[in-house]
Amino acid sequence: MKKHRLQHGLLGLLTILATAVVTFLIWQVAGPKAQPIHLRGQVQQVKTLRLAAVGDSLTHGVGDETNNGGYVGLIKGDLESSGVYQVDTSNYGVTGDTSTQILKRVNAQKKLRTDVEHADILTVTVGGNDLMHVLQKNLLSISTKDVTSGATTYRRHLTSLLKALRQLNPKAPVYVFGVYNPFYVYFPNLTAMTTSVKTWNNTTQAALGDFDHMYYVDIDSVLTKGANTQANSKADKKKLESAMSGSSKNPLIFESDHFHPNNAGYALMTSQLWKKMQATESTWEK
């Protein structure tokens, strides 16, 4: 009797297991399929940008006490901090170079030419040393005629430089910085210097107008007057008065030479560059 019940129980268990297995197999074949989950916005591919900087001491970064290459290192850091870009920079700034000397390097240096050719973004600082040469020749008797003549020559040289860069790289946007007057706070009434800087910047903008995707970056408005253009509140004025209590009257200029930007000055240069890059993003954004 007990043996019969045991056999009956085992038979029932086997029947249940068999039914479960058949049901599972049917579900696997005919049941709804699991759909993959797509996570949008969770992973973003980092884009590589190549920036080649060509120019004089402002590209080299003279006055940057962090030795990070002035605005070149700062714009790299700003772009990479977004998490969107990896920026490879090449810095071809040489202190003291005029427009003609920069052009000679562009024509002669193989690595410079290669980096310019493959760049997604080009930046240029030029003109400051050209202007200083004109002023030094006519320091005690600078006239409008002298400045106009010098500006005409400078435009011809600058145009040659821009053509050379464009021949190497027909597509990349080129951002060209203007010049500023580091002596304004010492000699605000020296109108010849102020007029010369304005003429030089107008000349640069006119030359850029002959090319596509070449953009002027204004730094005169943020560096020349230093404290006079930056103090918008009482708190700002106190900070600037404190900064001016030292040997330098312009808190944006490097105290060791009273000529080049310091770290704060390069930060403002970078800000001006970034504004222009944002306004022309379609020319370099991948």
Side-chain angles (χ1 to χ4, degrees):
M1 185 70 175
K2 289 182 179 181
K3 184 177 180 181
H4 178 71
R5 288 179 179 176
L6 180 59
Q7 289 177 341
H8 182 74
L10 289 172
L11 181 61
L13 180 60
L14 290 173
T15 301
I16 293 172
L17 289 173
T19 302
V21 170
V22 172
T23 301
F24 174 77
L25 292 175
I26 293 174
W27 180 264
Q28 287 290 93
V29 175
K33 303 296 182 182
Q35 297 299 317
I37 298 175
H38 298 284
L39 298 177
R40 296 182 179 178
Q42 300 299 311
V43 179
Q44 188 170 23
Q45 184 176 0
V46 176
K47 305 173 186 178
T48 299
L49 286 175
R50 290 166 293 192
L51 185 151
V54 180
D56 50 32
S57 56
L58 295 184
T59 291
H60 182 70
V62 175
D64 175 9
E65 295 180 295
T66 67
N67 294 317
N68 193 36
Y71 78 86
V72 180
L74 290 174
I75 194 65
K76 170 184 169 70
D78 287 348
L79 285 165
E80 291 186 339
S81 66
S82 68
V84 179
Y85 307 104
Q86 174 185 319
V87 183
D88 297 329
T89 61
S90 50
N91 190 324
Y92 293 100
V94 174
T95 300
D97 264 13
T98 62
S99 53
T100 55
Q101 291 170 317
I102 296 171
L103 176 59
K104 286 180 181 178
R105 289 192 288 118
V106 169
N107 288 333
Q109 295 181 8
K110 184 176 180 180
K111 189 174 186 306
L112 186 158
R113 293 175 62 83
T114 299
D115 286 339
V116 167
E117 182 181 359
H118 294 98
D120 301 301
I121 300 169
L122 294 170
T123 63
V124 181
T125 59
V126 62
N129 293 306
D130 298 74
L131 175 56
M132 290 307 298
H133 285 185
V134 171
L135 295 176
Q136 287 168 358
K137 288 180 181 178
N138 308 279
L139 186 60
L140 299 178
S141 59
I142 188 71
S143 67
T144 301
K145 183 179 178 180
D146 295 326
V147 176
T148 301
S149 175
T152 300
T153 301
Y154 166 62
R155 178 168 180 173
R156 186 171 67 251
H157 294 163
L158 176 60
T159 297
S160 297
L161 171 61
L162 297 176
K163 283 182 178 179
L165 292 173
R166 188 48 87 212
Q167 287 173 356
L168 287 171
N169 191 323
K171 296 182 179 181
V174 182
Y175 299 93
V176 181
F177 289 87
V179 298
Y180 62 99
N181 179 2
F183 307 116
Y184 178 86
V185 294
Y186 302 101
F187 310 105
N189 296 321
L190 188 60
T191 56
M193 184 68 176
T194 301
T195 301
S196 299
V197 168
K198 184 177 181 180
T199 299
W200 231 248
N201 285 332
N202 289 340
T203 300
T204 297
Q205 292 178 75
L208 293 174
D210 294 332
F211 299 86
D212 292 329
H213 306 309
M214 290 197 178
Y215 307 103
Y216 175 74
V217 180
D218 166 45
I219 57 175
D220 183 34
S221 64
V222 297
L223 291 182
T224 291
K225 296 182 180 179
N228 296 334
T229 60
Q230 300 302 312
N232 299 315
S233 68
K234 290 183 178 180
D236 288 338
K237 288 178 180 178
K238 287 184 178 180
K239 291 179 182 178
L240 290 167
E241 286 172 0
S242 175
M244 291 172 64
S245 63
S247 60
S248 174
K249 290 185 178 181
N250 187 333
L252 304 175
I253 300 300
F254 190 41
E255 287 192 6
S256 294
D257 62 15
H258 303 283
F259 190 86
H260 294 94
N262 57 20
N263 295 358
Y266 278 116
L268 284 176
M269 282 183 65
T270 306
S271 177
Q272 293 295 94
L273 171 60
W274 178 233
K275 287 176 183 177
K276 186 65 68 172
M277 288 177 62
Q278 286 180 304
T280 57
E281 187 174 4
S282 62
T283 62
W284 56 268
E285 166 65 10
K286 292 185 176 182

